[in-house]
Amino acid sequence: MALSASLLLRQSQSLVMTPQLLQSIQLLQMTHLELNQFIAAEIEKNPLLDLASPEMDDASEPRSAEQSAPRGEQDGADDDRSASLDASDDWYESRPEVAAARLQEIDQGFENVFQDDRPAAKADVPELLGQWKSMTGAQSGDDYDLEDFAAAPMTLAEHLGQQVPFLLKSATERLIAEHLIDAVDQAGYFSGSTADIAERLGVDRQQAEAVLTALQTLDPPGVMARSLRECLAIQLKQRDRLDPAMNLLVDNLDLLARRDFSSLRRLCGVSEEDLLDMLAEIRTLNPKPGDCFERHAAEPVAPDVVVRPGSTGGWMVELNPDTLPRVLVNRQYFLSVSKSCAKNGQEQDFLAECLQNANWLTRSLDQRAKTILKVATEIVRQQEAFLEHGVDHLRPLTLKAVAEAIKMHESTVSRVTSNKYMLTPRGMFELKYFFSVSIGSTEDGGDAHSAEAVRHRIRALIDQESADAILSDDDIVISLKKGGVDLARRTVAKYREAMNIPSSVQRRREKRAMARLAAV
């Protein structure tokens, strides 16, 4: 076979993942907080981007070249506005100086001239407040907020640190206690290692253990425990209720979690009545002593889509304006700067790149909003029965079905529904909530059931059972078949365990014990 060189012309198509396209894909799956952080970073490095808050009016917003009116039109509008103000014959005027002059002319001033009826003047800011503001760099002015001087909520570590000087006298012990307190989690448990802390401070482990034992006597009761068993034992010891029977009960919390009361009664060597008293005592203890102290507040979830009933029927699907960033391209600044650096090619290239990135970002954000609205609208159309009647009417839905309906790729729908929330009259739900697998019906040709709706039915059946009529998994299967749901027993058990619902044996023990406690 002879080798020869040849020149061929070939045409092909390929999808190239450009940085802009990758950015658009990432914007789709970003949450509200992540999107704000990303936009803030882009605004910091791109001088042509401006972020307009929803409270800003149109006059204060930076407008692009297409939105700005020509100078001649603006001047003409100002002249017309001034002419209309001068031509006003009304005695009332919105401008204070004109209104005061006209009121003086007709001698009809409405100000209060009685000294005793005048509102009390605002108290002067104390001199120390002015000095504090000057030292801290706070803004000067007559307005001040009393919350600036309020004490911050006390944390658990600060509360424990205030008690240490009254408990420990040695400086070494106080230093060990400081490091031990630093290892306390939000629930009040000691999550560190005494061996590591002793090695770090160069002391004996027995001394660190002794300090930890001393710290376990502090308020709140049960703090600095290393396990739930130790936390409950500390609280019972402080109440002088840690007798041998109660100690055995605390040592076998796994049996208590399984509601195996017969085994507990046999291990503790007590009667049924005494066991009920011990269980009542356990219920009064606090398994998380640190919960009563200040912790970081959880960020509320802001809905991306709002659904409400329409005035003429149907449902209105709208994007939440609070979660939509308003990013504007300042073209006036671009024109003014480009004129000043017309002779510098490097600066011109930088401005052109910034303008291109800014335009692409605004288009990507607009496309992101339209895609979210399109997907949410299709979800509402598919799950209209859920919005009207509740969880029992939730239809099975897949990403592929929504993607085919709106003519998009399934991966795009998956990115849009990730970490996005919808506010409906029935509550706030993640968009992923409306997607569930299909479960067949017992009737021929009957509608399929959603897995979430079936789980809701299982939970409702278990909530309605009494202590004398506990439903087994087989009983639940029979009840579901009567309702038209064909489900296997192992599937019922899987759904029940996923919802953290104990078995029928454990539920029978728990409900009988609760009934006896209520009777006592």
Side-chain angles (χ1 to χ4, degrees):
M1 180 178 177
L3 297 178
S4 62
S6 61
L7 181 62
L8 298 177
L9 182 62
R10 179 181 300 174
Q11 184 179 5
S12 62
Q13 292 182 348
S14 61
L15 180 62
V16 180
M17 186 67 70
T18 61
Q20 290 83 2
L21 182 59
L22 181 61
Q23 181 188 91
S24 300
I25 295 175
Q26 293 174 350
L27 288 178
L28 278 177
Q29 57 189 6
M30 284 185 181
T31 63
H32 171 54
L33 295 177
E34 293 173 348
L35 184 62
N36 287 338
Q37 294 175 358
F38 174 78
I39 292 176
E42 290 294 322
I43 291 177
E44 185 177 357
K45 64 182 181 181
N46 194 334
L48 301 181
L49 286 175
D50 289 327
L51 182 63
S53 61
E55 293 79 8
M56 294 176 59
D57 53 12
D58 296 338
S60 61
E61 290 181 356
R63 293 188 289 183
S64 61
E66 294 81 4
Q67 295 173 333
S68 302
R71 182 60 185 171
E73 296 179 8
Q74 293 179 355
D75 295 339
D78 294 339
D79 296 338
D80 296 339
R81 191 180 301 107
S82 61
S84 62
L85 291 175
D86 295 336
S88 177
D89 295 330
D90 196 354
W91 66 273
Y92 177 76
E93 180 63 40
S94 59
R95 289 175 293 180
E97 61 277 5
V98 179
R102 293 186 179 179
L103 288 173
Q104 187 67 26
E105 292 176 0
I106 61 177
D107 195 17
Q108 292 293 331
F110 295 103
E111 66 275 5
N112 191 355
V113 295
F114 297 97
Q115 299 292 336
D116 296 338
D117 294 340
R118 289 183 177 178
K122 187 176 182 179
D124 296 335
V125 181
E127 183 180 358
L128 292 178
L129 176 61
Q131 297 177 0
W132 173 81
K133 287 188 174 183
S134 62
M135 289 186 296
T136 58
Q139 296 180 357
S140 60
D142 295 335
D143 296 334
Y144 60 94
D145 191 357
L146 291 178
E147 293 183 359
D148 296 337
F149 310 97
M154 183 175 294
T155 62
L156 176 61
E158 294 173 349
H159 180 69
L160 297 176
Q162 292 179 356
Q163 304 175 63
V164 168
F166 301 96
L167 179 68
L168 304 175
K169 304 301 181 182
S170 171
T172 303
E173 293 179 344
R174 291 183 182 180
L175 180 61
I176 298 173
E178 181 180 352
H179 284 76
L180 292 175
I181 292 175
D182 289 340
V184 176
D185 58 13
Q186 293 182 349
Y189 288 87
F190 175 70
S191 57
S193 173
T194 54
D196 295 342
I197 294 177
E199 183 180 358
R200 188 187 316 141
L201 299 178
V203 297
D204 295 335
R205 181 176 180 179
Q206 291 77 8
Q207 188 177 6
E209 292 283 351
V211 174
L212 178 61
T213 304
L215 293 178
Q216 291 176 349
T217 61
L218 298 178
D219 181 76
V223 74
M224 301 295 296
R226 285 164 288 195
S227 63
L228 177 61
R229 185 263 170 206
E230 189 175 19
C231 178
L232 300 181
I234 292 172
Q235 298 180 53
L236 291 171
K237 185 177 181 181
Q238 293 181 3
R239 297 183 182 185
D240 197 16
R241 287 283 292 139
L242 192 61
D243 51 19
M246 186 67 78
N247 194 12
L248 288 172
L249 177 61
V250 175
D251 288 339
N252 295 274
L253 292 178
D254 54 341
L255 296 178
L256 181 59
R258 295 200 302 265
R259 282 82 174 175
D260 192 356
F261 302 120
S262 59
S263 300
L264 285 175
R265 187 173 65 253
R266 185 174 58 257
L267 287 174
C268 298
V270 295
S271 63
E272 183 177 356
E273 184 178 356
D274 293 337
L275 180 62
L276 292 176
D277 293 339
M278 295 166 62
L279 295 179
E281 185 75 22
I282 291 292
R283 290 173 63 89
T284 61
L285 303 179
N286 186 7
K288 295 182 179 181
D291 280 352
C292 57
F293 288 88
E294 180 70 15
R295 60 172 59 187
H296 297 292
E299 291 291 339
V301 176
D304 299 272
V305 182
V306 179
V307 179
R308 62 172 181 264
S311 57
T312 58
W315 299 92
M316 294 182 59
V317 183
E318 299 176 345
L319 294 176
N320 187 6
D322 296 335
T323 60
L324 291 179
R326 304 176 63 186
V327 180
L328 304 176
V329 182
N330 197 338
R331 300 183 182 275
Q332 290 183 345
Y333 179 74
F334 171 76
L335 294 176
S336 61
V337 174
S338 59
K339 292 179 182 178
S340 61
C341 60
K343 298 181 180 180
N344 193 326
Q346 185 176 1
E347 295 179 356
Q348 284 285 352
D349 294 340
F350 172 75
L351 285 176
E353 183 181 359
C354 289
L355 181 61
Q356 180 182 2
N357 294 337
N359 291 332
W360 183 271
L361 178 60
T362 54
R363 287 195 299 267
S364 299
L365 292 176
D366 182 65
Q367 185 64 31
R368 175 183 182 272
K370 291 180 180 178
T371 306
I372 294 176
L373 183 60
K374 186 180 296 186
V375 173
T377 303
E378 179 61 24
I379 292 176
V380 170
R381 190 186 68 83
Q382 296 277 359
Q383 302 292 355
E384 187 174 358
F386 162 78
L387 297 174
E388 294 179 355
H389 305 290
V391 184
D392 290 336
H393 294 78
L394 189 67
R395 295 180 51 189
L397 187 63
T398 60
L399 297 174
K400 183 178 180 180
V402 175
E404 292 177 352
I406 62 177
K407 301 186 184 317
M408 287 187 177
H409 197 270
E410 186 176 348
S411 61
T412 303
V413 179
S414 177
R415 292 186 180 94
V416 169
T417 54
S418 299
N419 300 320
K420 308 292 189 308
Y421 292 85
M422 177 187 295
L423 180 62
T424 68
R426 296 195 174 273
M428 186 182 301
F429 302 92
E430 189 179 4
L431 294 183
K432 291 286 188 183
Y433 173 82
F434 299 99
F435 297 89
S436 59
V437 298
S438 175
I439 296 178
S441 175
T442 56
E443 302 175 358
D444 294 336
D447 295 335
H449 301 273
S450 170
E452 184 63 31
V454 173
R455 283 192 288 266
H456 176 73
R457 291 189 185 185
I458 295 174
R459 189 185 300 109
L461 289 173
I462 294 176
D463 292 340
Q464 295 173 0
E465 64 184 6
S466 61
D468 299 330
I470 299 297
L471 298 175
S472 64
D473 292 342
D474 293 327
D475 296 333
I476 296 176
V477 170
I478 296 174
S479 299
L480 291 176
K481 285 186 177 180
K482 292 180 180 179
V485 180
D486 187 10
L487 205 63
R489 188 196 62 83
R490 61 180 180 274
T491 308
V492 172
K494 182 182 69 173
Y495 285 171
R496 177 180 52 77
E497 293 173 357
M499 294 185 290
N500 294 324
I501 298 177
S503 63
S504 58
V505 177
Q506 295 176 355
R507 296 200 309 272
R508 183 179 294 107
R509 293 171 180 169
E510 180 181 3
K511 292 191 175 183
R512 287 181 178 178
M514 293 294 296
R516 292 170 183 172
L517 287 176
V520 173

